[in-house]
Amino acid sequence: MAGRRAAFGLIAAGLGLVAGPRGAGAASGRYEAMLLNCIDPRFTTHGLFHMAEIGLRDRYSQFVVAGGPIGAVHPHFAAWHDTFWQNLAVSVQLHAIRRVVAVTHRDCGAARIALGEAAVATRAAETAAHAGVLRAFRAAVGERQPGLEVVAGVMDLDGSVERVG
């Protein structure tokens, strides 16, 4: 199923058939959201399709850093934090975004580095570890940009996303 979804996704993206007309919100300079996700190239297309699936195709800015939300808040990656928060503030200012879509993913090397092997050793441990980071991210957004909604989830290798409250 995952292989068929990926193949269809690549074909649909190439033909411009995904989720409505191209550039629907781009001309206004106003976007709905920012997507924060990981640099892992296995998830590039999945991220595109996830944003289309939740109705945000061509209506979001994007910030990509190792681990996505993990890279934005975990102490191991502290040197990156200011860059993300400044970028988010600029996206709010320039694009009037109202939410951040924060997506981590399974089998993430940055998660393994920051959280340790035990935190990602099983699916349940990995889910719990990612959920903890996503809750910390949500709290940090609330402190710095209290008007923004945070939609958080963990992406599976097939592109499906498990929402994290």
Side-chain angles (χ1 to χ4, degrees), residues 42-79:
R42 296 176 296 168
F43 297 92
T44 304
T45 303
H46 290 323
L48 170 77
F49 283 104
H50 175 66
M51 295 304 280
E53 287 170 2
I54 63 173
L56 293 173
R57 181 172 186 241
D58 294 334
R59 296 179 22 215
Y60 65 95
S61 61
Q62 185 171 9
F63 192 92
V64 182
V65 64
I70 297 167
V73 297
H74 195 278
H76 187 81
F77 302 114

PDB file of all heavy atoms in Angstrom, residues 42-79:
ATOM      1  N   ARG A  42      13.324  11.047   3.006  1.00  0.00           N
ATOM      2  CA  ARG A  42      12.264  10.049   2.870  1.00  0.00           C
ATOM      3  C   ARG A  42      10.889  10.652   3.121  1.00  0.00           C
ATOM      4  O   ARG A  42       9.871  10.057   2.760  1.00  0.00           O
ATOM      5  CB  ARG A  42      12.472   8.894   3.857  1.00  0.00           C
ATOM      6  CG  ARG A  42      13.731   8.085   3.621  1.00  0.00           C
ATOM      7  CD  ARG A  42      13.904   7.044   4.696  1.00  0.00           C
ATOM      8  NE  ARG A  42      14.110   7.688   5.996  1.00  0.00           N
ATOM      9  CZ  ARG A  42      14.076   7.055   7.165  1.00  0.00           C
ATOM     10  NH1 ARG A  42      13.821   5.756   7.218  1.00  0.00           N
ATOM     11  NH2 ARG A  42      14.294   7.703   8.286  1.00  0.00           N
ATOM     12  N   PHE A  43      10.840  11.837   3.723  1.00  0.00           N
ATOM     13  CA  PHE A  43       9.561  12.413   4.137  1.00  0.00           C
ATOM     14  C   PHE A  43       9.200  13.688   3.396  1.00  0.00           C
ATOM     15  O   PHE A  43       8.194  14.318   3.700  1.00  0.00           O
ATOM     16  CB  PHE A  43       9.571  12.639   5.658  1.00  0.00           C
ATOM     17  CG  PHE A  43       9.706  11.344   6.402  1.00  0.00           C
ATOM     18  CD1 PHE A  43      10.951  10.857   6.758  1.00  0.00           C
ATOM     19  CD2 PHE A  43       8.588  10.580   6.672  1.00  0.00           C
ATOM     20  CE1 PHE A  43      11.085   9.637   7.396  1.00  0.00           C
ATOM     21  CE2 PHE A  43       8.711   9.365   7.311  1.00  0.00           C
ATOM     22  CZ  PHE A  43       9.957   8.888   7.678  1.00  0.00           C
ATOM     23  N   THR A  44       9.985  14.071   2.407  1.00  0.00           N
ATOM     24  CA  THR A  44       9.713  15.293   1.664  1.00  0.00           C
ATOM     25  C   THR A  44       8.347  15.250   0.980  1.00  0.00           C
ATOM     26  O   THR A  44       7.510  16.132   1.170  1.00  0.00           O
ATOM     27  CB  THR A  44      10.827  15.528   0.617  1.00  0.00           C
ATOM     28  OG1 THR A  44      12.075  15.561   1.289  1.00  0.00           O
ATOM     29  CG2 THR A  44      10.616  16.814  -0.133  1.00  0.00           C
ATOM     30  N   THR A  45       8.113  14.227   0.208  1.00  0.00           N
ATOM     31  CA  THR A  45       6.836  14.101  -0.496  1.00  0.00           C
ATOM     32  C   THR A  45       5.701  13.835   0.479  1.00  0.00           C
ATOM     33  O   THR A  45       4.603  14.382   0.328  1.00  0.00           O
ATOM     34  CB  THR A  45       6.916  12.983  -1.557  1.00  0.00           C
ATOM     35  OG1 THR A  45       7.989  13.297  -2.452  1.00  0.00           O
ATOM     36  CG2 THR A  45       5.620  12.870  -2.343  1.00  0.00           C
ATOM     37  N   HIS A  46       5.972  13.032   1.496  1.00  0.00           N
ATOM     38  CA  HIS A  46       4.940  12.774   2.506  1.00  0.00           C
ATOM     39  C   HIS A  46       4.487  14.075   3.174  1.00  0.00           C
ATOM     40  O   HIS A  46       3.302  14.259   3.446  1.00  0.00           O
ATOM     41  CB  HIS A  46       5.450  11.807   3.577  1.00  0.00           C
ATOM     42  CG  HIS A  46       5.646  10.401   3.112  1.00  0.00           C
ATOM     43  ND1 HIS A  46       4.817   9.767   2.220  1.00  0.00           N
ATOM     44  CD2 HIS A  46       6.599   9.499   3.457  1.00  0.00           C
ATOM     45  CE1 HIS A  46       5.247   8.530   2.026  1.00  0.00           C
ATOM     46  NE2 HIS A  46       6.323   8.341   2.759  1.00  0.00           N
ATOM     47  N   GLY A  47       5.420  14.981   3.440  1.00  0.00           N
ATOM     48  CA  GLY A  47       5.059  16.261   4.047  1.00  0.00           C
ATOM     49  C   GLY A  47       4.157  17.077   3.143  1.00  0.00           C
ATOM     50  O   GLY A  47       3.161  17.652   3.580  1.00  0.00           O
ATOM     51  N   LEU A  48       4.489  17.098   1.869  1.00  0.00           N
ATOM     52  CA  LEU A  48       3.664  17.798   0.879  1.00  0.00           C
ATOM     53  C   LEU A  48       2.245  17.247   0.875  1.00  0.00           C
ATOM     54  O   LEU A  48       1.268  17.995   0.919  1.00  0.00           O
ATOM     55  CB  LEU A  48       4.302  17.661  -0.506  1.00  0.00           C
ATOM     56  CG  LEU A  48       3.469  18.115  -1.693  1.00  0.00           C
ATOM     57  CD1 LEU A  48       3.467  19.621  -1.785  1.00  0.00           C
ATOM     58  CD2 LEU A  48       4.011  17.498  -2.973  1.00  0.00           C
ATOM     59  N   PHE A  49       2.140  15.923   0.839  1.00  0.00           N
ATOM     60  CA  PHE A  49       0.816  15.310   0.803  1.00  0.00           C
ATOM     61  C   PHE A  49       0.062  15.476   2.106  1.00  0.00           C
ATOM     62  O   PHE A  49      -1.154  15.663   2.105  1.00  0.00           O
ATOM     63  CB  PHE A  49       0.904  13.841   0.384  1.00  0.00           C
ATOM     64  CG  PHE A  49       1.102  13.709  -1.087  1.00  0.00           C
ATOM     65  CD1 PHE A  49       2.334  13.380  -1.604  1.00  0.00           C
ATOM     66  CD2 PHE A  49       0.070  13.971  -1.966  1.00  0.00           C
ATOM     67  CE1 PHE A  49       2.537  13.311  -2.964  1.00  0.00           C
ATOM     68  CE2 PHE A  49       0.258  13.901  -3.327  1.00  0.00           C
ATOM     69  CZ  PHE A  49       1.497  13.578  -3.834  1.00  0.00           C
ATOM     70  N   HIS A  50       0.762  15.448   3.219  1.00  0.00           N
ATOM     71  CA  HIS A  50       0.087  15.671   4.498  1.00  0.00           C
ATOM     72  C   HIS A  50      -0.532  17.064   4.535  1.00  0.00           C
ATOM     73  O   HIS A  50      -1.684  17.223   4.951  1.00  0.00           O
ATOM     74  CB  HIS A  50       1.063  15.483   5.663  1.00  0.00           C
ATOM     75  CG  HIS A  50       0.461  15.817   6.979  1.00  0.00           C
ATOM     76  ND1 HIS A  50      -0.579  15.083   7.522  1.00  0.00           N
ATOM     77  CD2 HIS A  50       0.720  16.806   7.864  1.00  0.00           C
ATOM     78  CE1 HIS A  50      -0.929  15.616   8.684  1.00  0.00           C
ATOM     79  NE2 HIS A  50      -0.156  16.656   8.904  1.00  0.00           N
ATOM     80  N   MET A  51       0.208  18.051   4.099  1.00  0.00           N
ATOM     81  CA  MET A  51      -0.328  19.418   4.112  1.00  0.00           C
ATOM     82  C   MET A  51      -1.527  19.541   3.178  1.00  0.00           C
ATOM     83  O   MET A  51      -2.498  20.233   3.497  1.00  0.00           O
ATOM     84  CB  MET A  51       0.765  20.421   3.766  1.00  0.00           C
ATOM     85  CG  MET A  51       1.878  20.477   4.801  1.00  0.00           C
ATOM     86  SD  MET A  51       1.319  20.831   6.487  1.00  0.00           S
ATOM     87  CE  MET A  51       1.131  22.614   6.373  1.00  0.00           C
ATOM     88  N   ALA A  52      -1.492  18.866   2.037  1.00  0.00           N
ATOM     89  CA  ALA A  52      -2.651  18.868   1.139  1.00  0.00           C
ATOM     90  C   ALA A  52      -3.834  18.156   1.786  1.00  0.00           C
ATOM     91  O   ALA A  52      -4.974  18.630   1.704  1.00  0.00           O
ATOM     92  CB  ALA A  52      -2.289  18.210  -0.189  1.00  0.00           C
ATOM     93  N   GLU A  53      -3.556  17.045   2.451  1.00  0.00           N
ATOM     94  CA  GLU A  53      -4.629  16.276   3.092  1.00  0.00           C
ATOM     95  C   GLU A  53      -5.339  17.075   4.179  1.00  0.00           C
ATOM     96  O   GLU A  53      -6.534  16.878   4.414  1.00  0.00           O
ATOM     97  CB  GLU A  53      -4.080  14.976   3.687  1.00  0.00           C
ATOM     98  CG  GLU A  53      -3.726  13.940   2.651  1.00  0.00           C
ATOM     99  CD  GLU A  53      -2.960  12.750   3.230  1.00  0.00           C
ATOM    100  OE1 GLU A  53      -2.726  12.698   4.462  1.00  0.00           O
ATOM    101  OE2 GLU A  53      -2.573  11.876   2.436  1.00  0.00           O
ATOM    102  N   ILE A  54      -4.633  17.970   4.850  1.00  0.00           N
ATOM    103  CA  ILE A  54      -5.281  18.756   5.899  1.00  0.00           C
ATOM    104  C   ILE A  54      -5.736  20.124   5.377  1.00  0.00           C
ATOM    105  O   ILE A  54      -6.059  21.027   6.141  1.00  0.00           O
ATOM    106  CB  ILE A  54      -4.408  18.885   7.167  1.00  0.00           C
ATOM    107  CG1 ILE A  54      -3.109  19.640   6.894  1.00  0.00           C
ATOM    108  CG2 ILE A  54      -4.126  17.506   7.768  1.00  0.00           C
ATOM    109  CD1 ILE A  54      -2.293  19.942   8.154  1.00  0.00           C
ATOM    110  N   GLY A  55      -5.786  20.261   4.056  1.00  0.00           N
ATOM    111  CA  GLY A  55      -6.349  21.449   3.428  1.00  0.00           C
ATOM    112  C   GLY A  55      -5.429  22.652   3.351  1.00  0.00           C
ATOM    113  O   GLY A  55      -5.904  23.773   3.221  1.00  0.00           O
ATOM    114  N   LEU A  56      -4.118  22.434   3.379  1.00  0.00           N
ATOM    115  CA  LEU A  56      -3.189  23.561   3.388  1.00  0.00           C
ATOM    116  C   LEU A  56      -2.262  23.625   2.184  1.00  0.00           C
ATOM    117  O   LEU A  56      -1.258  24.337   2.213  1.00  0.00           O
ATOM    118  CB  LEU A  56      -2.362  23.532   4.682  1.00  0.00           C
ATOM    119  CG  LEU A  56      -3.161  23.797   5.951  1.00  0.00           C
ATOM    120  CD1 LEU A  56      -2.298  23.588   7.181  1.00  0.00           C
ATOM    121  CD2 LEU A  56      -3.738  25.210   5.932  1.00  0.00           C
ATOM    122  N   ARG A  57      -2.597  22.942   1.119  1.00  0.00           N
ATOM    123  CA  ARG A  57      -1.737  22.983  -0.062  1.00  0.00           C
ATOM    124  C   ARG A  57      -1.550  24.420  -0.528  1.00  0.00           C
ATOM    125  O   ARG A  57      -2.496  25.185  -0.658  1.00  0.00           O
ATOM    126  CB  ARG A  57      -2.341  22.176  -1.193  1.00  0.00           C
ATOM    127  CG  ARG A  57      -1.432  22.212  -2.413  1.00  0.00           C
ATOM    128  CD  ARG A  57      -1.902  21.263  -3.469  1.00  0.00           C
ATOM    129  NE  ARG A  57      -0.924  21.253  -4.532  1.00  0.00           N
ATOM    130  CZ  ARG A  57      -1.207  21.611  -5.772  1.00  0.00           C
ATOM    131  NH1 ARG A  57      -2.407  21.958  -6.115  1.00  0.00           N
ATOM    132  NH2 ARG A  57      -0.271  21.585  -6.684  1.00  0.00           N
ATOM    133  N   ASP A  58      -0.299  24.818  -0.734  1.00  0.00           N
ATOM    134  CA  ASP A  58       0.075  26.158  -1.190  1.00  0.00           C
ATOM    135  C   ASP A  58      -0.344  27.260  -0.224  1.00  0.00           C
ATOM    136  O   ASP A  58      -0.413  28.426  -0.611  1.00  0.00           O
ATOM    137  CB  ASP A  58      -0.503  26.451  -2.582  1.00  0.00           C
ATOM    138  CG  ASP A  58       0.092  25.575  -3.666  1.00  0.00           C
ATOM    139  OD1 ASP A  58       1.238  25.106  -3.498  1.00  0.00           O
ATOM    140  OD2 ASP A  58      -0.587  25.356  -4.685  1.00  0.00           O
ATOM    141  N   ARG A  59      -0.604  26.902   1.028  1.00  0.00           N
ATOM    142  CA  ARG A  59      -1.045  27.899   2.017  1.00  0.00           C
ATOM    143  C   ARG A  59      -0.198  27.822   3.282  1.00  0.00           C
ATOM    144  O   ARG A  59      -0.684  28.088   4.368  1.00  0.00           O
ATOM    145  CB  ARG A  59      -2.528  27.692   2.326  1.00  0.00           C
ATOM    146  CG  ARG A  59      -3.376  27.933   1.102  1.00  0.00           C
ATOM    147  CD  ARG A  59      -4.855  27.739   1.251  1.00  0.00           C
ATOM    148  NE  ARG A  59      -5.366  27.828   2.592  1.00  0.00           N
ATOM    149  CZ  ARG A  59      -6.370  27.088   3.039  1.00  0.00           C
ATOM    150  NH1 ARG A  59      -6.945  26.210   2.255  1.00  0.00           N
ATOM    151  NH2 ARG A  59      -6.808  27.226   4.270  1.00  0.00           N
ATOM    152  N   TYR A  60       1.084  27.484   3.126  1.00  0.00           N
ATOM    153  CA  TYR A  60       1.957  27.391   4.289  1.00  0.00           C
ATOM    154  C   TYR A  60       3.392  27.737   3.915  1.00  0.00           C
ATOM    155  O   TYR A  60       3.815  27.573   2.791  1.00  0.00           O
ATOM    156  CB  TYR A  60       1.895  25.991   4.903  1.00  0.00           C
ATOM    157  CG  TYR A  60       2.424  24.873   4.036  1.00  0.00           C
ATOM    158  CD1 TYR A  60       3.738  24.439   4.156  1.00  0.00           C
ATOM    159  CD2 TYR A  60       1.612  24.246   3.092  1.00  0.00           C
ATOM    160  CE1 TYR A  60       4.231  23.399   3.366  1.00  0.00           C
ATOM    161  CE2 TYR A  60       2.091  23.213   2.308  1.00  0.00           C
ATOM    162  CZ  TYR A  60       3.399  22.799   2.444  1.00  0.00           C
ATOM    163  OH  TYR A  60       3.888  21.782   1.664  1.00  0.00           O
ATOM    164  N   SER A  61       4.094  28.252   4.907  1.00  0.00           N
ATOM    165  CA  SER A  61       5.540  28.392   4.789  1.00  0.00           C
ATOM    166  C   SER A  61       6.138  27.138   5.419  1.00  0.00           C
ATOM    167  O   SER A  61       5.421  26.332   6.011  1.00  0.00           O
ATOM    168  CB  SER A  61       6.025  29.658   5.501  1.00  0.00           C
ATOM    169  OG  SER A  61       5.728  29.618   6.878  1.00  0.00           O
ATOM    170  N   GLN A  62       7.433  26.971   5.307  1.00  0.00           N
ATOM    171  CA  GLN A  62       8.034  25.736   5.797  1.00  0.00           C
ATOM    172  C   GLN A  62       9.401  26.027   6.394  1.00  0.00           C
ATOM    173  O   GLN A  62      10.158  26.844   5.876  1.00  0.00           O
ATOM    174  CB  GLN A  62       8.168  24.735   4.654  1.00  0.00           C
ATOM    175  CG  GLN A  62       8.671  23.382   5.080  1.00  0.00           C
ATOM    176  CD  GLN A  62       8.571  22.358   3.947  1.00  0.00           C
ATOM    177  OE1 GLN A  62       8.275  22.683   2.807  1.00  0.00           O
ATOM    178  NE2 GLN A  62       8.828  21.122   4.278  1.00  0.00           N
ATOM    179  N   PHE A  63       9.686  25.342   7.489  1.00  0.00           N
ATOM    180  CA  PHE A  63      11.007  25.387   8.108  1.00  0.00           C
ATOM    181  C   PHE A  63      11.435  23.945   8.292  1.00  0.00           C
ATOM    182  O   PHE A  63      10.716  23.153   8.879  1.00  0.00           O
ATOM    183  CB  PHE A  63      10.950  26.099   9.466  1.00  0.00           C
ATOM    184  CG  PHE A  63      12.305  26.429  10.018  1.00  0.00           C
ATOM    185  CD1 PHE A  63      12.901  27.653   9.762  1.00  0.00           C
ATOM    186  CD2 PHE A  63      12.990  25.512  10.795  1.00  0.00           C
ATOM    187  CE1 PHE A  63      14.160  27.967  10.278  1.00  0.00           C
ATOM    188  CE2 PHE A  63      14.245  25.811  11.321  1.00  0.00           C
ATOM    189  CZ  PHE A  63      14.827  27.038  11.058  1.00  0.00           C
ATOM    190  N   VAL A  64      12.612  23.618   7.771  1.00  0.00           N
ATOM    191  CA  VAL A  64      13.091  22.243   7.803  1.00  0.00           C
ATOM    192  C   VAL A  64      14.434  22.218   8.532  1.00  0.00           C
ATOM    193  O   VAL A  64      15.359  22.946   8.159  1.00  0.00           O
ATOM    194  CB  VAL A  64      13.244  21.681   6.370  1.00  0.00           C
ATOM    195  CG1 VAL A  64      13.704  20.242   6.396  1.00  0.00           C
ATOM    196  CG2 VAL A  64      11.934  21.812   5.603  1.00  0.00           C
ATOM    197  N   VAL A  65      14.501  21.392   9.565  1.00  0.00           N
ATOM    198  CA  VAL A  65      15.720  21.250  10.357  1.00  0.00           C
ATOM    199  C   VAL A  65      15.768  19.805  10.851  1.00  0.00           C
ATOM    200  O   VAL A  65      14.717  19.164  10.995  1.00  0.00           O
ATOM    201  CB  VAL A  65      15.730  22.256  11.533  1.00  0.00           C
ATOM    202  CG1 VAL A  65      14.618  21.999  12.525  1.00  0.00           C
ATOM    203  CG2 VAL A  65      17.075  22.313  12.217  1.00  0.00           C
ATOM    204  N   ALA A  66      16.938  19.283  11.098  1.00  0.00           N
ATOM    205  CA  ALA A  66      17.043  17.904  11.575  1.00  0.00           C
ATOM    206  C   ALA A  66      16.146  17.709  12.800  1.00  0.00           C
ATOM    207  O   ALA A  66      16.213  18.472  13.754  1.00  0.00           O
ATOM    208  CB  ALA A  66      18.492  17.569  11.926  1.00  0.00           C
ATOM    209  N   GLY A  67      15.277  16.729  12.717  1.00  0.00           N
ATOM    210  CA  GLY A  67      14.352  16.428  13.805  1.00  0.00           C
ATOM    211  C   GLY A  67      13.098  17.275  13.804  1.00  0.00           C
ATOM    212  O   GLY A  67      12.178  17.019  14.586  1.00  0.00           O
ATOM    213  N   GLY A  68      13.027  18.298  12.972  1.00  0.00           N
ATOM    214  CA  GLY A  68      11.846  19.168  12.963  1.00  0.00           C
ATOM    215  C   GLY A  68      11.644  19.776  14.347  1.00  0.00           C
ATOM    216  O   GLY A  68      12.526  20.472  14.853  1.00  0.00           O
ATOM    217  N   PRO A  69      10.514  19.511  14.987  1.00  0.00           N
ATOM    218  CA  PRO A  69      10.255  20.063  16.316  1.00  0.00           C
ATOM    219  C   PRO A  69      11.310  19.657  17.354  1.00  0.00           C
ATOM    220  O   PRO A  69      11.590  20.419  18.278  1.00  0.00           O
ATOM    221  CB  PRO A  69       8.885  19.484  16.680  1.00  0.00           C
ATOM    222  CG  PRO A  69       8.247  19.183  15.370  1.00  0.00           C
ATOM    223  CD  PRO A  69       9.370  18.782  14.460  1.00  0.00           C
ATOM    224  N   ILE A  70      11.907  18.493  17.182  1.00  0.00           N
ATOM    225  CA  ILE A  70      12.971  18.067  18.104  1.00  0.00           C
ATOM    226  C   ILE A  70      14.138  19.049  18.007  1.00  0.00           C
ATOM    227  O   ILE A  70      14.667  19.511  19.019  1.00  0.00           O
ATOM    228  CB  ILE A  70      13.422  16.625  17.794  1.00  0.00           C
ATOM    229  CG1 ILE A  70      12.266  15.645  18.018  1.00  0.00           C
ATOM    230  CG2 ILE A  70      14.632  16.238  18.646  1.00  0.00           C
ATOM    231  CD1 ILE A  70      12.497  14.254  17.451  1.00  0.00           C
ATOM    232  N   GLY A  71      14.529  19.385  16.790  1.00  0.00           N
ATOM    233  CA  GLY A  71      15.620  20.330  16.578  1.00  0.00           C
ATOM    234  C   GLY A  71      15.308  21.724  17.084  1.00  0.00           C
ATOM    235  O   GLY A  71      16.209  22.483  17.427  1.00  0.00           O
ATOM    236  N   ALA A  72      14.025  22.062  17.146  1.00  0.00           N
ATOM    237  CA  ALA A  72      13.621  23.401  17.579  1.00  0.00           C
ATOM    238  C   ALA A  72      13.590  23.564  19.093  1.00  0.00           C
ATOM    239  O   ALA A  72      13.668  24.692  19.583  1.00  0.00           O
ATOM    240  CB  ALA A  72      12.243  23.742  17.007  1.00  0.00           C
ATOM    241  N   VAL A  73      13.483  22.459  19.848  1.00  0.00           N
ATOM    242  CA  VAL A  73      13.340  22.604  21.306  1.00  0.00           C
ATOM    243  C   VAL A  73      14.285  21.761  22.151  1.00  0.00           C
ATOM    244  O   VAL A  73      14.494  22.067  23.324  1.00  0.00           O
ATOM    245  CB  VAL A  73      11.890  22.333  21.785  1.00  0.00           C
ATOM    246  CG1 VAL A  73      10.927  23.345  21.194  1.00  0.00           C
ATOM    247  CG2 VAL A  73      11.447  20.904  21.505  1.00  0.00           C
ATOM    248  N   HIS A  74      14.838  20.698  21.617  1.00  0.00           N
ATOM    249  CA  HIS A  74      15.652  19.824  22.467  1.00  0.00           C
ATOM    250  C   HIS A  74      17.000  20.487  22.782  1.00  0.00           C
ATOM    251  O   HIS A  74      17.646  21.059  21.895  1.00  0.00           O
ATOM    252  CB  HIS A  74      15.893  18.470  21.789  1.00  0.00           C
ATOM    253  CG  HIS A  74      16.402  17.459  22.749  1.00  0.00           C
ATOM    254  ND1 HIS A  74      17.734  17.382  23.102  1.00  0.00           N
ATOM    255  CD2 HIS A  74      15.758  16.511  23.470  1.00  0.00           C
ATOM    256  CE1 HIS A  74      17.894  16.418  23.990  1.00  0.00           C
ATOM    257  NE2 HIS A  74      16.711  15.876  24.234  1.00  0.00           N
ATOM    258  N   PRO A  75      17.453  20.412  24.039  1.00  0.00           N
ATOM    259  CA  PRO A  75      18.730  21.035  24.430  1.00  0.00           C
ATOM    260  C   PRO A  75      19.942  20.576  23.609  1.00  0.00           C
ATOM    261  O   PRO A  75      20.886  21.352  23.430  1.00  0.00           O
ATOM    262  CB  PRO A  75      18.891  20.624  25.897  1.00  0.00           C
ATOM    263  CG  PRO A  75      17.508  20.363  26.378  1.00  0.00           C
ATOM    264  CD  PRO A  75      16.752  19.831  25.186  1.00  0.00           C
ATOM    265  N   HIS A  76      19.904  19.365  23.082  1.00  0.00           N
ATOM    266  CA  HIS A  76      21.030  18.887  22.280  1.00  0.00           C
ATOM    267  C   HIS A  76      21.269  19.780  21.058  1.00  0.00           C
ATOM    268  O   HIS A  76      22.394  19.905  20.577  1.00  0.00           O
ATOM    269  CB  HIS A  76      20.799  17.434  21.838  1.00  0.00           C
ATOM    270  CG  HIS A  76      21.990  16.845  21.147  1.00  0.00           C
ATOM    271  ND1 HIS A  76      23.072  16.344  21.839  1.00  0.00           N
ATOM    272  CD2 HIS A  76      22.293  16.728  19.835  1.00  0.00           C
ATOM    273  CE1 HIS A  76      23.984  15.911  20.978  1.00  0.00           C
ATOM    274  NE2 HIS A  76      23.529  16.138  19.757  1.00  0.00           N
ATOM    275  N   PHE A  77      20.209  20.402  20.567  1.00  0.00           N
ATOM    276  CA  PHE A  77      20.299  21.242  19.373  1.00  0.00           C
ATOM    277  C   PHE A  77      20.098  22.722  19.708  1.00  0.00           C
ATOM    278  O   PHE A  77      19.569  23.492  18.899  1.00  0.00           O
ATOM    279  CB  PHE A  77      19.266  20.785  18.337  1.00  0.00           C
ATOM    280  CG  PHE A  77      19.408  19.350  17.931  1.00  0.00           C
ATOM    281  CD1 PHE A  77      18.417  18.431  18.246  1.00  0.00           C
ATOM    282  CD2 PHE A  77      20.534  18.903  17.255  1.00  0.00           C
ATOM    283  CE1 PHE A  77      18.538  17.092  17.879  1.00  0.00           C
ATOM    284  CE2 PHE A  77      20.669  17.561  16.887  1.00  0.00           C
ATOM    285  CZ  PHE A  77      19.669  16.662  17.204  1.00  0.00           C
ATOM    286  N   ALA A  78      20.515  23.140  20.879  1.00  0.00           N
ATOM    287  CA  ALA A  78      20.281  24.503  21.375  1.00  0.00           C
ATOM    288  C   ALA A  78      20.769  25.591  20.415  1.00  0.00           C
ATOM    289  O   ALA A  78      20.157  26.658  20.327  1.00  0.00           O
ATOM    290  CB  ALA A  78      20.915  24.679  22.748  1.00  0.00           C
ATOM    291  N   ALA A  79      21.833  25.333  19.701  1.00  0.00           N
ATOM    292  CA  ALA A  79      22.379  26.347  18.789  1.00  0.00           C
ATOM    293  C   ALA A  79      21.400  26.701  17.669  1.00  0.00           C
ATOM    294  O   ALA A  79      21.512  27.770  17.067  1.00  0.00           O
ATOM    295  CB  ALA A  79      23.704  25.868  18.197  1.00  0.00           C
TER     296      ALA A  79
END
